[in-house]
Amino acid sequence: MLRLYDTATAKVRPLALRRPGAASLYVCGPTVYDAPHLGHGRFALVFDVLRRYLVASGLEVTYVSNITDVDDKVIERARQEGVEPGELARRYEETWWAAMDALGVLRPDHVPHATAYVARMVEVVGELVQRGVAYEIPDGVYLSTEAVPGYGLLARQPLDTLRAGARVEAVEAKRSPLDFVLWKKAKPGEPTWPSPWGPGRPGWHTECVVMSLDLLGEGFDLHGGAIDLIFPHHENERAQAVALGRDFAHHWVHNGWVTVAGEKMSKSLGNFTSLDDLLARGDPRAYRLLVLRAHYRSPIEVTPETVGQAEAGLARLDELARRFHLADPLAVGDPVAVVGEADDEDLDREAVARFVERMDDDLDTPGALSGVFELVREANAAADAGRATDAARTARTVAHLAAVLGLPLRGVRSAVEDPEVLDLVARRDAARAERRFADADALRTELVRLGWVVEDGPEGTRVRRP
RNA sequence: GGCGGCGUGGCCGAGUGGUUGAGGCAGGGGCCUGCAAAGCCCUUUACCCGGGUUCGAUUCCCGGCGCCGCCUCCA
């Protein structure tokens, strides 16, 4: 069974499923006010792999990830661009899904939008007021953090030390600086919804509580997001659930930062790096491989060099797929149940078991991947030694394990149709057959100049794109 | 000020109280190849510093140095 680090207990512990055989996950999605950056890509990939692995383990997985389509940043950005907030959000949501598709991230089973849940949020805020844990002041409704037992659990910091660090807030009417807004009363020009406290809009933290409980029910298995969401976002989600007396997430999982030049990547630091730029640069699978080569809780450094290294590793996997004519064992949208099918004679069961053991250990993708690369070497070595059956089985195992990680291998050589290239290849084969090697070399030079990789095999000249 | 993380070979990045230091990338040598490419084999004096615990620490403890993060919107 999968063991994962749980932020709430600061321990690696088994994912204790609410219902055996089924896993329910809620992962905080993006606020759609700008194009996604590398950090968004990482969290999406990390939880995509977690999800795929759970599916591969034979579990029935329900994966929910939201879209925050109304908040200060959306409104501000829309104002700058002179468009309606809703239109802006729709536009960046499209950008988001395009990037996710490029990365091979599976669509969530449910994608709740904050704007579609406002009425439910109003109900919840009303319930919190009724229970006496929330209070109304002139600019909105706030949750009283002091009324919540165990506030600070996720931050792993007691309430008083959190408060000691809090800066003076603009809203001085708050009872405590840590109290957070549940309902923001409308300011001119902002989108609004009706409520008992007048027109306004919900605070950020409420949507995830309402939507996760609505779609997954109480006591769902796992709540995830990037490390920066621990405090205050997840802390405040939990606070509301506790205040409501609802059983909330049983396991909290957070992934580490993407750093650029050693620093956290963020817009305010000016080192923001666009995910689209990276994806346009080369094979999107390289970023997945780069992300998976580090443990999900470690920071990863993204530089042209580390991306290049990932691309080289990917090329090694693809080369194996080419050598063994491995068709993609699955489409990107198709998680594969490798782990549970222990009777599959076409795979190296021991290698699969090692893979599972590593993945079960807090999603040790670097370890799992190292095993996959060992198999690559084994398969090639076996083939070199003439043990074709063993080699093919090992190679198939590579393809299947890579597929569990969401990395389809490109083993299919796309047919070359360019008559000029075909002519050069044919002339080169002829030259080699007649041992006119100077001519053959010249023809290879020409093919390389046209951007092809040239490989000679027993069956003649082969060309492919790099 | 409070809380937390990290410091491994040219680079990325796992991991462990003790014979043989994952894996990838890069470099070197070799095999194969007409030559290449790909592949395979071999290879390049790793664990920030100082104490401590221990028969033995890179791996545990303490201190120091350095880097990073959270405490405020943030993936």
Side-chain angles (χ1 to χ4, degrees), chain A residues 26-31 36-51 63-68 96-97 100 103 105-106 108 224-229 234 253-258 265 275 287-288 291-292 296 300 363:
Chain A
Y26 185 93
V27 175
C28 284
T31 300
H37 60 227
L38 299 182
H40 291 106
R42 185 182 190 186
F43 99 75
L45 286 168
V46 164
F47 288 101
D48 181 63
V49 168
L50 171 60
R51 173 196 192 170
Y63 186 91
V64 179
S65 192
N66 67 296
I67 293 285
T68 299
W96 170 259
W97 293 121
M100 292 303 103
L103 283 172
V105 169
L106 301 174
I227 193 169
D228 59 320
L229 294 181
H234 285 166
V253 175
H254 297 94
N255 67 277
W257 291 112
V258 172
M265 181 186 61
L275 185 57
Y287 191 50
R288 181 179 288 258
V291 164
L292 263 32
Y296 74 92
I300 58 169
L363 214 62

Side-chain angles (χ1 to χ4, degrees), chain A residues 169-210:
Chain A
E169 299 257 349
V171 184
E172 295 183 358
K174 279 162 52 170
R175 293 179 190 168
S176 158
L178 290 173
D179 291 356
F180 58 92
V181 69
L182 299 169
W183 185 260
K184 294 184 174 189
K185 295 189 183 177
K187 292 174 192 157
E190 292 183 352
T192 66
W193 287 261
S195 86
W197 315 280
R201 58 193 166 90
W204 178 34
H205 312 301
T206 305
E207 65 180 73
C208 291
V209 181
V210 171

Side-chain angles (χ1 to χ4, degrees), chain A residues 103-422:
Chain A
L103 283 172
V105 169
L106 301 174
R107 293 291 176 105
D109 296 305
H110 301 280
V111 182
H113 289 64
T115 51
Y117 270 86
V118 176
R120 303 290 290 274
M121 289 192 255
V122 168
E123 288 174 24
V124 162
V125 175
E127 192 179 338
L128 289 167
V129 171
Q130 252 181 355
R131 285 171 166 256
V133 293
Y135 57 92
E136 182 180 2
I137 56 178
D139 79 321
V141 179
Y142 287 78
L143 188 88
S144 176
T145 49
E146 289 178 356
V148 178
Y151 190 79
L153 175 77
L154 292 174
R156 303 202 65 74
Q157 238 179 299
L159 190 67
D160 54 340
T161 67
L162 276 171
R163 187 195 289 162
R167 296 177 188 175
V168 178
E169 299 257 349
V171 184
E172 295 183 358
K174 279 162 52 170
R175 293 179 190 168
S176 158
L178 290 173
D179 291 356
F180 58 92
V181 69
L182 299 169
W183 185 260
K184 294 184 174 189
K185 295 189 183 177
K187 292 174 192 157
E190 292 183 352
T192 66
W193 287 261
S195 86
W197 315 280
R201 58 193 166 90
W204 178 34
H205 312 301
T206 305
E207 65 180 73
C208 291
V209 181
V210 171
M211 299 189 296
S212 60
L213 289 174
D214 181 63
L215 291 165
L216 295 174
E218 286 198 49
F220 61 92
D221 296 314
L222 184 149
H223 195 130
I227 193 169
D228 59 320
L229 294 181
I230 293 173
F231 192 93
H233 185 53
H234 285 166
E235 188 76 54
N236 289 349
E237 285 184 38
R238 181 183 166 275
Q240 288 173 77
V242 169
L244 288 163
R246 308 266 169 84
D247 188 13
F248 205 46
H250 284 186
H251 211 112
W252 294 84
V253 175
H254 297 94
N255 67 277
W257 291 112
V258 172
T259 61
V260 174
E263 290 188 323
K264 166 186 165 180
M265 181 186 61
S266 74
K267 288 191 172 183
S268 57
L269 291 172
N271 60 3
F272 169 79
T273 307
S274 154
L275 185 57
D276 290 339
D277 288 349
L278 180 76
L279 298 180
R281 181 200 129 105
D283 193 324
R285 295 175 303 158
Y287 191 50
R288 181 179 288 258
L289 186 59
L290 175 56
V291 164
L292 263 32
R293 287 198 331 182
H295 186 80
Y296 74 92
R297 288 191 280 120
S298 301
I300 58 169
E301 177 82 2
V302 179
T303 65
E305 187 179 8
T306 59
V307 173
Q309 290 178 354
E311 285 171 341
L314 194 58
R316 185 165 160 77
L317 293 173
D318 282 347
E319 182 57 37
L320 182 87
R322 265 193 295 277
R323 180 173 189 178
F324 290 92
H325 307 289
L326 299 169
D328 290 351
L330 75 170
V332 166
D334 246 350
V336 59
V338 174
V339 177
E341 297 176 0
D343 55 340
D344 188 341
E345 293 301 321
D346 288 340
L347 300 178
D348 179 340
R349 299 314 313 179
E350 285 183 22
V352 172
R354 285 195 299 273
F355 178 89
V356 168
E357 191 179 331
R358 283 160 169 167
M359 290 294 282
D360 276 349
D361 179 15
D362 197 21
L363 214 62
D364 177 15
T365 55
L369 225 33
S370 79
V372 170
F373 276 99
E374 282 174 357
L375 292 178
V376 171
R377 179 165 41 74
E378 281 176 28
N380 280 316
D384 286 353
R387 291 184 287 112
T389 307
D390 287 350
R393 191 173 58 115
T394 304
R396 270 196 304 276
T397 306
V398 169
H400 277 78
L401 295 181
V404 172
L405 299 173
L407 276 174
L409 305 189
R410 299 240 170 98
V412 180
R413 187 183 305 274
S414 53
V416 177
E417 292 175 0
D418 185 336
E420 182 188 1
V421 173
L422 291 172

